[in-house]
Coordinates of all heavy atoms in Angstrom, one line a residue:
A901 N -81.9 11.2 75.3 CA -81.9 10.9 76.7 C -82.3 9.4 76.9 O -83.2 8.8 76.4 CB -82.8 11.7 77.4
K902 N -81.5 8.7 77.7 CA -81.7 7.3 77.9 C -82.2 7.1 79.3 O -82.8 6.0 79.6 CB -80.3 6.5 77.8 CG -79.8 6.5 76.4 CD -80.7 6.1 75.3 CE -80.0 6.1 74.0 NZ -81.0 5.8 72.9
N903 N -82.0 8.0 80.3 CA -82.6 7.7 81.6 C -82.8 9.2 82.3 O -82.2 10.2 81.8 CB -81.6 6.9 82.4 CG -80.3 7.6 82.5 OD1 -80.0 8.5 83.2 ND2 -79.3 6.8 81.9
T904 N -83.6 9.2 83.3 CA -84.0 10.4 84.1 C -82.8 10.8 84.9 O -82.6 12.1 85.1 CB -85.2 10.2 84.9 OG1 -84.9 9.2 85.8 CG2 -86.3 9.9 84.1
T905 N -81.9 10.0 85.3 CA -80.8 10.4 86.2 C -79.9 11.3 85.5 O -79.2 12.3 86.0 CB -80.0 9.1 86.6 OG1 -80.9 8.3 87.2 CG2 -78.8 9.6 87.6
T906 N -79.6 11.2 84.1 CA -78.8 11.9 83.3 C -79.4 13.3 83.2 O -78.6 14.4 83.4 CB -78.6 11.4 81.9 OG1 -77.9 10.2 82.1 CG2 -77.6 12.3 81.1
L907 N -80.6 13.4 83.0 CA -81.4 14.7 82.8 C -81.3 15.5 84.2 O -81.0 16.7 84.2 CB -82.9 14.5 82.5 CG -83.0 13.9 81.1 CD1 -84.6 13.9 80.8 CD2 -82.4 14.7 80.1
A908 N -81.4 14.8 85.3 CA -81.4 15.5 86.7 C -80.0 15.9 86.8 O -79.8 17.2 87.4 CB -81.7 14.5 87.7
H909 N -79.0 15.2 86.4 CA -77.6 15.7 86.8 C -77.3 16.9 85.8 O -76.7 17.9 86.3 CB -76.6 14.5 86.3 CG -75.3 14.8 86.3 ND1 -74.5 15.5 87.4 CD2 -74.3 14.9 85.4 CE1 -73.3 15.7 87.2 NE2 -73.1 15.3 85.9
Y910 N -77.7 16.8 84.5 CA -77.4 18.0 83.7 C -78.2 19.3 84.1 O -77.6 20.3 84.1 CB -78.0 17.6 82.2 CG -77.0 16.7 81.5 CD1 -77.2 16.3 80.2 CD2 -75.8 16.4 82.1 CE1 -76.4 15.5 79.5 CE2 -75.0 15.3 81.4 CZ -75.3 15.0 80.1 OH -74.4 14.2 79.5
L911 N -79.3 19.1 84.7 CA -80.1 20.2 85.2 C -79.5 20.8 86.5 O -79.4 22.1 86.6 CB -81.6 19.8 85.6 CG -82.4 20.9 86.2 CD1 -82.5 22.1 85.1 CD2 -83.8 20.4 86.6
K912 N -78.7 19.9 87.3 CA -78.1 20.5 88.4 C -77.0 21.3 88.0 O -76.6 22.4 88.6 CB -77.5 19.3 89.2 CG -76.8 19.6 90.5 CD -76.3 18.4 91.2 CE -75.6 18.8 92.5 NZ -75.1 17.6 93.3
L913 N -76.2 20.9 86.9 CA -75.1 21.7 86.4 C -75.5 23.0 85.7 O -74.9 24.0 85.9 CB -74.4 20.8 85.2 CG -73.8 19.5 85.7 CD1 -73.0 18.9 84.5 CD2 -72.7 19.8 86.9
L914 N -76.7 23.0 85.1 CA -77.2 24.2 84.6 C -77.6 25.2 85.7 O -77.5 26.4 85.5 CB -78.5 23.9 83.7 CG -78.2 23.3 82.3 CD1 -79.5 22.7 81.6 CD2 -77.4 24.1 81.4
A915 N -78.1 24.7 86.8 CA -78.4 25.5 87.9 C -77.2 26.1 88.5 O -77.2 27.2 89.0 CB -79.2 24.7 89.0
Q916 N -76.2 25.3 88.7 CA -74.9 25.8 89.3 C -74.4 26.9 88.4 O -73.6 27.8 88.9 CB -73.9 24.7 89.4 CG -74.2 23.7 90.5 CD -73.5 22.4 90.4 OE1 -72.6 22.2 89.5 NE2 -73.7 21.5 91.4
A917 N -74.6 26.9 87.1 CA -74.1 27.9 86.2 C -75.0 29.1 86.1 O -74.8 30.1 85.4 CB -74.0 27.3 84.8
G918 N -76.2 29.1 86.8 CA -77.0 30.3 87.0 C -77.9 30.4 85.8 O -78.4 31.5 85.5
L919 N -78.2 29.3 85.0 CA -79.2 29.3 83.9 C -80.6 28.9 84.3 O -81.5 29.6 84.0 CB -78.6 28.5 82.8 CG -77.3 29.0 82.2 CD1 -76.7 28.0 81.1 CD2 -77.3 30.4 81.6
L920 N -80.7 27.5 84.7 CA -82.0 27.0 84.7 C -82.0 26.0 85.9 O -81.1 25.3 86.1 CB -82.3 26.1 83.4 CG -83.5 25.3 83.3 CD1 -84.7 26.1 83.1 CD2 -83.4 24.3 82.2
L921 N -83.2 25.9 86.6 CA -83.2 24.9 87.7 C -84.7 24.3 87.8 O -85.6 24.7 87.1 CB -82.8 25.4 89.0 CG -83.5 26.8 89.5 CD1 -84.9 26.5 90.0 CD2 -82.7 27.3 90.7
G922 N -84.8 23.3 88.5 CA -86.1 22.7 88.7 C -86.5 22.9 90.2 O -85.9 22.4 91.1
L923 N -87.6 23.7 90.4 CA -88.1 23.9 91.8 C -88.7 22.6 92.4 O -89.4 22.0 91.7 CB -89.2 24.9 91.9 CG -88.7 26.5 91.4 CD1 -89.9 27.4 91.5 CD2 -87.6 27.0 92.3
D924 N -88.5 22.4 93.6 CA -89.0 21.2 94.3 C -90.5 21.4 94.6 O -90.9 22.7 94.9 CB -88.2 20.8 95.6 CG -86.8 20.3 95.1 OD1 -86.7 19.6 94.2 OD2 -85.9 20.5 96.0
K925 N -91.2 20.4 94.7 CA -92.6 20.5 95.3 C -92.5 20.6 96.8 O -91.8 19.9 97.6 CB -93.3 19.3 94.9 CG -94.7 19.2 95.5 CD -95.6 18.0 95.0 CE -96.9 18.0 95.7 NZ -97.7 16.7 95.2
F926 N -93.4 21.5 97.4 CA -93.6 21.7 98.9 C -94.1 20.4 99.4 O -95.2 20.1 99.0 CB -94.3 23.0 99.1 CG -94.5 23.1 100.6 CD1 -93.6 23.8 101.4 CD2 -95.8 22.6 101.2 CE1 -93.8 23.9 102.8 CE2 -95.9 22.9 102.6 CZ -94.9 23.4 103.3
A927 N -93.6 20.0 100.4 CA -94.0 18.8 101.1 C -93.5 18.7 102.5 O -92.2 19.1 102.7 CB -93.8 17.4 100.3
M928 N -94.2 18.3 103.5 CA -93.7 18.1 104.8 C -92.8 16.8 104.8 O -91.8 16.8 105.6 CB -94.8 17.8 105.8 CG -95.7 19.0 106.0 SD -94.7 20.5 106.6 CE -96.1 21.6 106.8
D929 N -92.9 15.8 104.0 CA -92.3 14.7 103.8 C -91.1 14.9 102.9 O -91.4 15.1 101.6 CB -93.1 13.5 103.4 CG -92.4 12.2 103.3 OD1 -91.1 12.1 103.5 OD2 -93.1 11.1 103.2
Q930 N -90.0 14.8 103.3 CA -88.7 15.0 102.5 C -88.6 14.0 101.4 O -88.1 14.4 100.3 CB -87.4 15.0 103.3 CG -87.3 16.2 104.2 CD -87.3 17.5 103.6 OE1 -86.5 17.7 102.5 NE2 -88.1 18.5 103.9
A931 N -89.0 12.8 101.6 CA -88.9 11.8 100.6 C -89.8 12.2 99.4 O -89.4 12.0 98.2 CB -89.3 10.4 101.1
R932 N -91.1 12.6 99.7 CA -92.0 13.1 98.6 C -91.5 14.2 97.9 O -91.7 14.4 96.8 CB -93.4 13.4 99.3 CG -94.1 12.2 99.8 CD -95.5 12.5 100.2 NE -96.4 13.1 99.2 CZ -97.5 13.7 99.4 NH1 -98.0 13.8 100.7 NH2 -98.2 14.2 98.4
K933 N -90.8 15.1 98.6 CA -90.3 16.3 98.1 C -89.3 15.9 97.1 O -89.2 16.6 95.9 CB -89.7 17.2 99.2 CG -89.1 18.5 98.7 CD -88.7 19.3 99.9 CE -88.1 20.7 99.4 NZ -87.6 21.4 100.6
R934 N -88.4 15.1 97.5 CA -87.2 14.6 96.5 C -87.6 14.0 95.2 O -87.1 14.1 94.2 CB -86.2 13.8 97.3 CG -85.3 14.5 98.2 CD -84.1 13.6 98.7 NE -84.7 12.4 99.2 CZ -84.9 12.3 100.5 NH1 -84.6 13.3 101.3 NH2 -85.4 11.1 101.2
N935 N -88.8 13.1 95.4 CA -89.3 12.4 94.3 C -90.4 13.1 93.4 O -90.9 12.6 92.4 CB -90.0 11.2 94.7 CG -88.9 10.2 95.4 OD1 -87.8 10.2 95.0 ND2 -89.4 9.5 96.5
S936 N -90.6 14.4 93.7 CA -91.6 15.2 92.9 C -91.0 15.6 91.6 O -89.8 15.6 91.3 CB -91.9 16.5 93.7 OG -90.8 17.3 93.9
S937 N -91.9 15.9 90.6 CA -91.5 16.5 89.4 C -91.2 17.9 89.6 O -91.6 18.6 90.3 CB -92.6 16.4 88.3 OG -93.2 15.0 88.1
P938 N -90.1 18.3 88.8 CA -89.6 19.7 88.9 C -90.6 20.7 88.2 O -91.2 20.4 87.2 CB -88.3 19.7 88.3 CG -88.4 18.7 87.2 CD -89.2 17.5 87.7
K939 N -90.6 21.8 88.8 CA -91.2 23.0 88.1 C -90.0 23.8 87.5 O -89.1 24.3 88.1 CB -91.9 23.9 89.0 CG -92.6 25.1 88.4 CD -93.4 25.9 89.3 CE -94.0 27.2 88.6 NZ -94.9 28.0 89.6
W940 N -90.1 23.9 86.2 CA -88.9 24.3 85.4 C -88.9 25.9 85.7 O -89.9 26.6 85.5 CB -89.0 24.0 84.0 CG -88.9 22.5 83.9 CD1 -89.9 21.6 84.0 CD2 -87.8 21.7 83.7 NE1 -89.4 20.4 83.8 CE2 -88.2 20.4 83.7 CE3 -86.5 22.0 83.4 CZ2 -87.3 19.3 83.5 CZ3 -85.5 21.0 83.2 CH2 -85.9 19.6 83.3
Q941 N -87.7 26.5 85.8 CA -87.6 27.9 86.2 C -86.2 28.5 85.7 O -85.2 28.1 86.1 CB -87.8 28.1 87.7 CG -87.5 29.6 88.1 CD -88.5 30.5 87.6 OE1 -89.8 30.3 87.8 NE2 -88.1 31.6 86.9
V942 N -86.3 29.4 84.8 CA -85.1 30.1 84.3 C -84.7 31.0 85.5 O -85.5 31.6 86.3 CB -85.4 30.9 83.1 CG1 -85.5 30.0 81.9 CG2 -86.4 31.9 83.3
M943 N -83.4 31.2 85.8 CA -82.9 32.0 86.9 C -82.6 33.4 86.4 O -82.4 34.3 87.3 CB -81.5 31.4 87.3 CG -81.7 30.0 87.8 SD -80.2 29.2 88.3 CE -79.8 29.9 89.7
N944 N -82.9 33.7 85.1 CA -82.8 35.0 84.6 C -83.8 35.2 83.4 O -83.5 34.4 82.5 CB -81.4 35.4 84.1 CG -81.2 36.9 83.9 OD1 -82.0 37.5 83.3 ND2 -80.1 37.5 84.3
N945 N -84.8 36.0 83.4 CA -85.8 36.0 82.4 C -85.2 36.4 81.1 O -85.8 36.4 80.0 CB -87.0 36.9 82.8 CG -88.2 36.1 82.9 OD1 -88.1 35.0 83.5 ND2 -89.4 36.7 82.5
A946 N -83.9 37.0 81.1 CA -83.4 37.3 79.8 C -83.2 36.0 78.8 O -83.3 36.1 77.6 CB -82.0 37.9 80.0
L947 N -83.1 35.0 79.5 CA -82.9 33.6 78.8 C -84.2 33.3 78.0 O -84.2 32.8 76.9 CB -82.6 32.6 79.8 CG -81.3 32.8 80.6 CD1 -81.2 31.6 81.8 CD2 -80.0 32.9 79.8
L948 N -85.3 33.5 78.6 CA -86.6 33.3 78.1 C -86.8 34.3 77.0 O -87.2 33.9 75.9 CB -87.7 33.3 79.1 CG -89.1 33.3 78.7 CD1 -89.3 31.8 78.0 CD2 -90.1 33.3 79.8
G949 N -86.7 35.6 77.2 CA -86.8 36.6 76.2 C -86.0 36.4 74.9 O -86.4 36.6 73.8
A950 N -84.7 36.1 75.2 CA -83.8 35.9 74.0 C -84.1 34.8 73.2 O -83.8 34.7 71.9 CB -82.4 35.8 74.6
L951 N -84.7 33.7 73.8 CA -85.1 32.5 72.9 C -86.5 32.5 72.4 O -86.9 31.7 71.7 CB -84.8 31.2 73.9 CG -83.4 31.0 74.2 CD1 -83.3 29.7 75.2 CD2 -82.4 30.9 73.1
T952 N -87.3 33.5 72.7 CA -88.6 33.5 72.1 C -88.6 34.2 70.8 O -87.7 34.9 70.4 CB -89.5 34.5 73.0 OG1 -90.9 34.3 72.6 CG2 -89.1 35.9 73.0
D953 N -89.6 33.9 69.9 CA -89.6 34.2 68.5 C -90.4 35.7 68.4 O -90.4 36.2 67.4 CB -90.3 33.2 67.6 CG -89.6 32.0 67.5 OD1 -88.3 32.0 67.6 OD2 -90.3 30.9 67.4
V954 N -90.9 36.2 69.4 CA -91.7 37.4 69.3 C -91.0 38.5 70.1 O -90.2 38.3 70.9 CB -93.1 37.3 69.8 CG1 -93.9 36.2 69.1 CG2 -93.1 36.8 71.3
D955 N -91.4 39.7 69.8 CA -90.7 40.9 70.5 C -91.3 41.3 71.7 O -92.3 40.7 72.2 CB -90.4 42.1 69.5 CG -91.8 42.6 68.9 OD1 -92.7 42.5 69.6 OD2 -91.9 43.3 67.9
F956 N -91.0 42.4 72.2 CA -91.4 43.0 73.5 C -92.8 43.3 73.4 O -93.6 43.0 74.2 CB -90.5 44.1 74.0 CG -90.8 44.7 75.3 CD1 -91.3 44.1 76.3 CD2 -90.7 46.2 75.4 CE1 -91.6 44.7 77.5 CE2 -91.2 46.8 76.5 CZ -91.6 46.1 77.7
E957 N -93.2 44.0 72.5 CA -94.6 44.6 72.4 C -95.4 43.4 72.1 O -96.5 43.3 72.5 CB -94.7 45.5 71.2 CG -94.1 46.9 71.5 CD -94.3 48.0 70.5 OE1 -95.0 47.6 69.5 OE2 -93.8 49.1 70.7
Q958 N -95.1 42.3 71.1 CA -96.0 41.4 70.7 C -96.2 40.5 72.0 O -97.2 39.8 72.3 CB -95.3 40.4 69.6 CG -95.2 41.2 68.3 CD -94.4 40.5 67.3 OE1 -93.5 39.9 67.6 NE2 -94.8 40.7 66.0
S959 N -95.1 40.3 72.9 CA -95.3 39.5 73.9 C -96.3 40.1 75.0 O -97.1 39.3 75.6 CB -93.9 39.4 74.8 OG -93.0 38.7 74.0
Q960 N -96.3 41.3 75.1 CA -97.3 41.9 76.0 C -98.7 41.9 75.5 O -99.7 41.8 76.3 CB -96.9 43.5 76.2 CG -95.6 43.7 77.0 CD -95.3 45.1 77.3 OE1 -95.8 45.7 78.2 NE2 -94.5 45.7 76.3
A961 N -98.8 41.9 74.2 CA -100.2 41.8 73.6 C -100.8 40.4 73.7 O -101.9 40.3 73.7 CB -100.1 42.2 72.0
D962 N -100.0 39.3 73.8 CA -100.5 38.0 73.9 C -100.6 37.8 75.4 O -99.6 37.5 76.2 CB -99.5 37.0 73.3 CG -99.9 35.6 73.4 OD1 -100.7 35.3 74.2 OD2 -99.5 34.7 72.4
K963 N -101.8 37.9 75.9 CA -102.0 37.8 77.4 C -101.6 36.4 78.0 O -101.0 36.4 79.1 CB -103.6 38.0 77.7 CG -104.0 39.3 77.4 CD -105.4 39.7 77.9 CE -105.8 41.1 77.7 NZ -104.9 42.1 78.1
K964 N -101.8 35.3 77.3 CA -101.4 34.0 77.8 C -99.8 34.0 77.9 O -99.3 33.6 79.0 CB -101.9 32.9 77.0 CG -101.5 31.5 77.5 CD -102.1 30.4 76.6 CE -101.8 29.0 77.2 NZ -102.5 28.0 76.3
R965 N -99.1 34.4 76.7 CA -97.7 34.5 76.9 C -97.1 35.4 77.9 O -96.3 35.1 78.7 CB -97.1 34.8 75.3 CG -95.6 35.0 75.4 CD -95.2 35.5 74.1 NE -95.5 34.7 73.0 CZ -94.7 33.8 72.5 NH1 -93.5 33.6 73.1 NH2 -95.0 33.0 71.4
W966 N -97.8 36.6 78.1 CA -97.3 37.5 78.9 C -97.5 37.0 80.3 O -96.7 37.3 81.2 CB -98.0 38.8 78.8 CG -97.5 39.9 79.5 CD1 -98.1 40.6 80.6 CD2 -96.1 40.5 79.5 NE1 -97.3 41.7 81.1 CE2 -96.0 41.6 80.5 CE3 -95.0 40.3 78.7 CZ2 -95.0 42.3 80.7 CZ3 -93.9 41.0 78.8 CH2 -93.9 42.1 79.9
G967 N -98.6 36.4 80.6 CA -98.9 35.8 82.0 C -97.7 34.8 82.4 O -97.4 34.9 83.6
R968 N -97.4 34.0 81.4 CA -96.3 33.0 81.7 C -95.0 33.7 81.9 O -94.2 33.3 82.8 CB -96.2 32.1 80.5 CG -95.2 30.9 80.8 CD -95.4 29.8 79.7 NE -94.9 30.2 78.5 CZ -93.7 30.1 78.0 NH1 -92.8 29.5 78.8 NH2 -93.3 30.5 76.8
M969 N -94.8 34.7 81.2 CA -93.5 35.5 81.3 C -93.4 36.2 82.7 O -92.3 36.3 83.3 CB -93.3 36.5 80.1 CG -93.0 35.8 78.9 SD -92.6 36.9 77.5 CE -90.7 37.1 78.0
V970 N -94.5 36.8 83.1 CA -94.6 37.5 84.4 C -94.4 36.4 85.5 O -93.6 36.7 86.4 CB -96.0 38.1 84.5 CG1 -96.2 38.6 86.0 CG2 -96.1 39.3 83.7
E971 N -95.1 35.2 85.4 CA -94.7 34.3 86.5 C -93.3 33.9 86.5 O -92.8 33.7 87.6 CB -95.8 33.0 86.2 CG -95.5 32.0 87.2 CD -96.3 30.7 87.0 OE1 -97.3 30.8 86.3 OE2 -96.0 29.6 87.5
S972 N -92.8 33.7 85.4 CA -91.4 33.3 85.4 C -90.4 34.5 85.9 O -89.5 34.1 86.7 CB -90.9 33.1 83.9 OG -89.5 32.7 83.9
A973 N -90.8 35.7 85.7 CA -90.1 36.8 86.2 C -90.1 36.9 87.8 O -89.2 37.2 88.4 CB -90.5 38.1 85.7
I974 N -91.4 36.5 88.3 CA -91.6 36.5 89.7 C -90.7 35.4 90.3 O -90.0 35.5 91.4 CB -93.1 36.3 90.0 CG1 -93.9 37.5 89.5 CG2 -93.1 36.0 91.5 CD1 -93.6 38.7 90.4
G975 N -90.6 34.2 89.6 CA -89.7 33.2 90.1 C -88.2 33.6 90.1 O -87.6 33.3 91.1
A976 N -87.9 34.2 89.0 CA -86.5 34.7 89.1 C -86.2 35.8 90.0 O -85.0 35.7 90.7 CB -86.1 35.3 87.6

Side-chain angles (χ1 to χ4, degrees):
K902 300 302 181 182
N903 56 71
T904 59
T905 303
T906 298
L907 294 184
H909 174 59
Y910 285 179
L911 181 59
K912 181 180 179 180
L913 298 182
L914 291 169
Q916 290 167 356
L919 294 177
L920 174 76
L921 54 70
L923 297 177
D924 291 327
K925 178 179 177 178
F926 175 84
M928 296 298 188
D929 183 345
Q930 290 298 314
R932 290 185 61 188
K933 182 177 178 179
R934 286 193 300 268
N935 295 328
S936 64
S937 297
K939 178 176 180 178
W940 299 82
Q941 174 67 55
V942 293
M943 300 174 73
N944 189 319
N945 245 37
L947 307 173
L948 178 59
L951 295 181
T952 189
D953 295 328
V954 298
D955 63 22
F956 180 39
E957 290 188 3
Q958 291 169 332
S959 294
Q960 293 181 86
D962 185 335
K963 294 189 179 302
K964 183 176 181 180
R965 176 189 292 272
W966 187 245
R968 187 169 70 90
M969 294 190 78
V970 169
E971 180 180 336
S972 179
I974 295 297

